[in-house]
Each structure stands twice: as C-alpha cells, then as structure tokens.
Amino acid sequence: MAILPMNTAGRDTPEQLGYGDDSKSKSAASIPSPGGRKPQLPTQWRLGMIILTCLCSFGNHWSNGLIVALKTTIIKNTHINNSQFATLVAVTNLVNTVLCIFLGFAIDKWGGASLSVVLAFFHLAGSMVMAGAATNHLNSFALLVVGKVIAAVGDGSLDNAQHRIFSTYFAPGRGLAFSIGMVWSIANLGQFVGQSTANVITSNLGSYAWSLWISACISLFSFLCAIGLVFLDRFLRSHYHVTDQTDGTHHQGVVQRRVFSLTAIRRLSTTFWVIVAFAVFENAGVQSFVSISTQFAQQRLKKGAVVGGWVSSMYLLLPIGVTPFLGVWIDFVGHRVSFLFLSSITFLISMLFLKFSHTLPTFVAAYVFYALAQCFTPAPQVEIIRNVIPDPRYFATAFAIKKSVVQASIVIITTAAGKIQDSSHGSLDGAISLWLAYAFISVAISGSLLIMSTPWWTILPAARLAQVTPSRLSREICRLDGLGDASGNKATTLAEREHDLKVLRPSHSRLAWALLATSVGIVVLGWIMFGLGVSWGVHGNVVSGSDSSFFCL
C-alpha cells in the first residue's frame, strides 16, 4: 500500500510551531533560565559528563573477559569441571534476564547518575569477593560464585544507567549517538586490555589472584568516578539551566512518581517490538559468538590458547576507533535502520566465510567482518530505541525489556551450540550453522524494517522517523501527520504529533499483548534451555567461555 504525502493545509507548519530547522538554535538559546540567572550548559561540561560517565563502567568492562581468559587456570586451581565453570559464568547472567527489568524501572525512577553509584558498588564488592576467593591459595569455587552473583547485580544494568544519563543530557541528533558511541569505545578498550593482560599478569606474578585484584582496583576507580558523576550532575543543575531531553523540562533530579506503567509498556510501538525481534537474533548472535571465538580460532589456525586468545581479541580494536565516529554520523545524517541492516549483513558475511571456507584468508576476512558487525551493533541499536518509543521517560525500561530478551536468546543459542559441539566430538564446524541461521533471520527482519521505513511505503511511521535526517524530522512529522494514533484525540503541537506516530494504535492492542507474551516466552525458554544444558553437560564446551557474551548492548 503506497502512502502519499499527507495534505498539511490548515495545520501549523514546523516553522510556525518553532520547530523549523533555523529556529532550533534560536529557541535553545532563548530558553529562559530559572530566575533569569542561570546560563545555558556549556559544551565543555557536556564533554565532562561524557568522560566521567564512560569511566563509570571501565572497571566493569575490564573484568568482563577475565574469567574467560583465566578459564584453564581457574579450573586447575579450584579443581572443578567444565560444567561447574559454566555455572560460574552463566547462572549470574541468567538471573539478569529478570533482574535488569526491575533495575530498568529503578533507573527511570531515580535517574541514571544515582543508580550508577549503586550498580558500580555492587560490581566493586563482587570483584573484591572474587579476588579474595583466589588469595592465599584459598581457591574457593563457592566464593567465586558468590562474588560473581554480587558483581552481576551491577554488571547487568550499568550500561542502561549510562544510556539514561546520556538521554537526559543529549537529544537525538544532538550528541546522543556520539555519547553512546564513546561509551562503547571505552568499553571495548577496557575489555581488550583486561582480557589480553590477564594471563600475562598471572604468569609473571605467579597467581591469578593478582589479575583479579588489579581488576578490583580498576573497579574501585570506576566506583569513585560514579560518585564524582553524582556530584557533577548536582553541580551542573545548581549552576546552569540543564534541559531534560526526555521531556523538555528543567532537569532538577527529582524522583519520578510514575515510573511503572503497564499501559505505557503495552503501547510501545510495533517498530520497537520489531527491533527487539531483530536484536534477539543479531545482537544475541554477534555477542554469543564471542563465547567460541577463541576456541574456533585455535581449531582453524591449529594454534595454542595464547595465539587463539590474541586473534579472537582483535575484534575489539576496530570498534574502539569506529563507534564514536559512527555516533557522529547518526547524529548528523540519521539512517538508524540502515545501520541495523548493515550490521546484520556484515554478521551474515562473516558466518558464511566461516561456514563454507577453511582457508586462512577467508578466516581473516570473516573476523574482519565480524569486527564490523560489532562496530555497527551497539550505538544504532541503543539510539534507535530512544527514537521509536513514544515517551522517552521510559527509555531505561524499554532498553531493559530488549536486553532481558536478548540475554535469554544468548542462553538458547549457546546451549544448543554446545549440544551440537558435544555431538561432533568437540568440533565447532557444525555449531556455526546456528550462528548462520541467526544471521539470515536478522537480515530478513532488518531488511523488512528498512523497506517499511522508506518514504514510499511508510507502514511503520516510528521507523521512518528514526531513518530520516534529524534536520528534516519536523517536516517528516508533518508529512506523516494522520498515520499515527487513531484514538480520536486531536494533536496540536509537533511533539504531540510525533508521539501519535510512535505510539501503538488502540486497534493493535492484541498485537502488543502477543509481542509482550512472546518476549516473556523467550525468557522462560532461556531458563529451560539452561537447565537442559546443565543436564546435557554441554556448558563446559561452549557456555563456559561466554562471560563476555552475556554482557548484552
């Protein structure tokens, strides 16, 4: 069904409403300060918020790959088997399939800065417990599990808190994508350094406890940065006029009264649920492949763990430099749906190379395309969720819903891959078929979403608004006017018209319930698959190396 440009005669134009391209800077500069005294927030303080927010999770990402890198050492010193090691890695992340939902509500209620302190503290406490479990030759597996559970409380939602901070200080098209790109650039840097130095530190200092204690020290630094972030947020609010970009009001740091709204969740746009479906395959597929990347490199290159570990860690280097620039591109040009499609295409090419070719050049090319998929995955997926939900105040909740389902999907694919690998006498060639299937499905979903976001066939208005160049957003809203909420309420302002285009129409309420129920079903299936995996004894083959894979975007 072709959608023609809507007739906007008789309606206010964007310029009349103060939303025109030329009026943005003027309106921003003319916002009256409370009491007429507070100046607008300078750019250098915004950069300070980005830097301090990125450092809040540096310790989290530093330790993210430690357990994976130290797998052989931990198994040897604690006298456990592969299934027990898998429990250490996987069960705490599985708990976050539920925990991150409640933490998402909390982040929306109390704000990202305050929750960053709480979450960073949990990670610090867990890191210290894990380090203590390896000190003085204690080598307590039970204490390692306790520490991992404590740390998981902070690990699972710290990135959500960071995104909530950025969505408060930065609007889509005005620095939000760049800030998200920066946080993931620092995240990859921390994970690369921590993972690549873990065995070096252990070899030179004689105990893996040193690696864990250094990780705890980095976590302490991040905790102090989180405390500093709270004070910086208060300082900026007291000395400058800070606009909360989620609702356009003055940012005062007050506690939100209505943070949980089943109606708001139920009326999330169809576009949002399509993005969740896409993430179930692309996001989960890309992240879970980390769990076998080292072992796969060893098998293909016929090298030891050190070489395999270095090769499999190289994928982190490309996102370190690319993601901030990708964020700048999205801020200025948009095309968020296009980047979802691009990430799935590069993921598919990578898996095709690994599946159907066993030569060294194609192996290198496959890992390069996999690194590109890692570049295109985080910033566009996080930023597009902020753009397609009707009420940005529920951004952390919406992101938590997506993250919960993705974590469950990772459990499903890694458990199934472990069963296939176990049946293939340890070979990962057959298991690659699962990731190839995930890649094909993600291409199909993102390709369909891209088609439905074109100006000639606008079935999903929210997807179209996420696709357009930010400078043309106001004109696109007027062009699509009338395609949104059919509840009968007459929208008068541009913001109300944008809300109507992004909200799920009442006539589609059954679809919303069905999509929500499907998401819950995936989470339940993830728990079931994990139980089956324990009974199969396959987690020692695949999931035992998936600590970083469970850290979802």
Side-chain angles (χ1 to χ4, degrees):
M1 178 179 66
I3 302 298
L4 299 176
M6 303 299 297
N7 184 7
T8 58
R11 292 184 179 271
D12 296 329
T13 64
E15 289 77 9
Q16 291 173 323
L17 292 170
Y19 284 84
D21 298 338
D22 296 331
S23 66
K24 287 182 178 179
S25 58
K26 296 178 182 179
S27 61
S30 61
I31 296 177
S33 302
R37 292 187 298 271
K38 293 183 180 179
Q40 296 296 312
L41 184 63
T43 302
Q44 57 266 30
W45 281 118
R46 294 180 185 272
L47 292 176
M49 285 295 298
I50 292 177
I51 295 173
L52 207 54
T53 303
C54 290
L55 293 177
C56 287
S57 64
F58 189 74
N60 171 28
H61 294 288
W62 180 288
S63 64
N64 197 39
L66 280 182
I67 300 298
V68 174
L70 296 171
K71 172 188 173 183
T72 304
T73 304
I74 291 176
I75 290 178
K76 178 181 178 180
N77 285 273
T78 57
H79 307 290
I80 60 175
N81 56 35
N82 285 325
S83 294
Q84 288 173 304
F85 184 84
T87 302
L88 170 67
V89 172
V91 69
T92 54
N93 296 280
L94 194 68
V95 171
N96 268 313
T97 58
V98 177
L99 184 61
C100 67
I101 296 291
F102 296 100
L103 289 175
F105 296 151
I107 292 169
D108 277 331
K109 184 176 182 63
W110 284 290
S114 300
L115 264 294
S116 292
V117 175
V118 177
L119 297 172
F121 173 77
F122 271 100
H123 176 76
L124 171 61
S127 298
M128 295 178 66
V129 171
M130 285 190 291
T135 304
N136 293 330
H137 304 287
L138 180 59
N139 295 322
S140 172
F141 172 69
L143 203 56
L144 278 174
V145 172
V146 171
K148 201 71 171 68
V149 171
I150 296 173
V153 176
D155 294 348
S157 297
L158 190 54
D159 60 332
N160 197 355
Q162 291 176 305
H163 301 155
R164 189 61 173 82
I165 294 171
F166 290 147
S167 68
T168 300
Y169 277 84
F170 301 94
R174 298 186 185 181
L176 178 60
F178 169 73
S179 62
I180 294 174
M182 278 299 301
V183 78
W184 283 105
S185 175
I186 299 300
N188 285 306
L189 175 63
Q191 184 173 341
F192 174 78
V193 175
Q195 184 172 332
S196 60
T197 60
N199 284 299
V200 176
I201 294 173
T202 300
S203 299
N204 285 276
L205 298 181
S207 173
Y208 71 99
W210 285 105
S211 295
L212 296 177
W213 276 116
I214 291 175
S215 174
C217 291
I218 302 298
S219 298
L220 174 61
F221 167 75
S222 293
F223 175 64
L224 295 177
C225 289
I227 295 176
L229 181 64
V230 173
F231 284 103
L232 178 60
D233 180 59
R234 292 179 180 177
F235 171 81
L236 296 180
R237 285 189 280 107
S238 62
H239 289 77
Y240 299 96
H241 180 81
V242 181
T243 301
D244 187 345
Q245 301 297 333
T246 62
D247 56 13
T249 62
H250 178 53
H251 176 42
Q252 298 177 338
V254 297
V255 177
Q256 297 287 343
R257 293 183 178 180
R258 294 182 68 250
V259 65
F260 176 75
S261 173
L262 187 59
T263 301
I265 296 175
R266 185 171 56 85
R267 299 201 70 191
L268 289 170
S269 66
T270 304
T271 304
F272 169 78
W273 293 109
V274 174
I275 292 171
V276 171
F278 167 78
V280 164
F281 295 98
E282 195 276 341
N283 198 333
V286 169
Q287 296 305 308
S288 60
F289 182 75
V290 178
S291 66
I292 67 167
S293 60
T294 298
Q295 190 177 15
F296 192 84
Q298 289 178 248
Q299 292 184 6
R300 283 291 173 92
L301 299 177
K302 295 179 174 58
K303 299 291 184 179
V306 175
V307 175
W310 275 104
V311 171
S312 63
S313 297
M314 289 300 157
Y315 80 91
L316 293 167
L317 294 179
L318 190 59
I320 290 173
V322 172
T323 51
F325 296 101
L326 178 60
V328 173
W329 177 274
I330 293 175
D331 278 328
F332 281 96
V333 183
H335 293 285
R336 300 170 180 88
V337 180
S338 299
F339 278 109
L340 297 187
F341 181 68
L342 194 58
S343 67
S344 62
I345 285 291
T346 52
F347 178 40
L348 175 61
I349 294 174
S350 174
M351 294 301 108
L352 285 171
F353 278 154
L354 293 180
K355 177 64 178 178
F356 297 108
S357 179
H358 290 74
T359 63
L360 181 60
T362 54
F363 173 82
V364 174
Y367 270 58
V368 170
F369 276 102
Y370 175 67
L372 289 173
Q374 285 278 2
C375 293
F376 298 140
T377 296
Q381 282 196 28
V382 174
E383 217 261 1
I384 196 173
I385 290 178
R386 165 64 176 82
N387 275 270
V388 301
I389 59 176
D391 192 342
R393 293 174 299 174
Y394 297 100
F395 170 61
T397 300
F399 182 80
I401 292 173
K402 172 252 184 186
K403 184 171 184 177
S404 174
V405 182
V406 168
Q407 283 190 328
S409 179
I410 290 176
V411 175
I412 294 172
I413 186 174
T414 50
T415 304
K419 179 63 174 178
I420 295 175
Q421 182 187 6
D422 193 43
S423 303
S424 303
H425 306 289
S427 174
L428 286 166
D429 289 335
I432 289 295
S433 300
L434 281 177
W435 277 275
L436 184 60
Y438 263 50
F440 268 118
I441 296 174
S442 66
V443 168
I445 295 175
S446 60
S448 301
L449 185 62
L450 182 62
I451 293 173
M452 290 185 287
S453 65
T454 59
W456 308 282
W457 200 36
T458 314
I459 296 179
L460 300 176
R464 176 58 191 163
L465 295 181
Q467 180 75 343
V468 298
T469 302
S471 61
R472 297 184 56 85
L473 178 62
S474 56
R475 287 185 172 86
E476 191 68 18
I477 292 174
C478 290
R479 189 185 75 85
L480 299 175
D481 207 4
L483 300 181
D485 185 12
S487 59
N489 297 325
K490 192 71 171 179
T492 57
T493 68
L494 198 66
E496 290 175 347
R497 296 176 191 176
E498 181 180 3
H499 176 276
D500 289 350
L501 290 170
K502 293 180 178 180
V503 76
L504 189 72
R505 303 177 69 174
S507 59
H508 296 165
S509 59
R510 291 184 178 180
L511 174 62
W513 283 111
L515 293 171
L516 182 59
T518 301
S519 300
V520 174
I522 293 175
V523 174
V524 173
L525 181 60
W527 282 83
I528 294 174
M529 287 295 291
F530 177 77
L532 291 174
V534 172
S535 65
W536 291 334
V538 301
H539 284 280
N541 294 323
V542 176
V543 183
S544 60
S546 61
D547 183 48
S548 59
S549 73
F550 281 95
F551 183 81
C552 300
L553 305 172

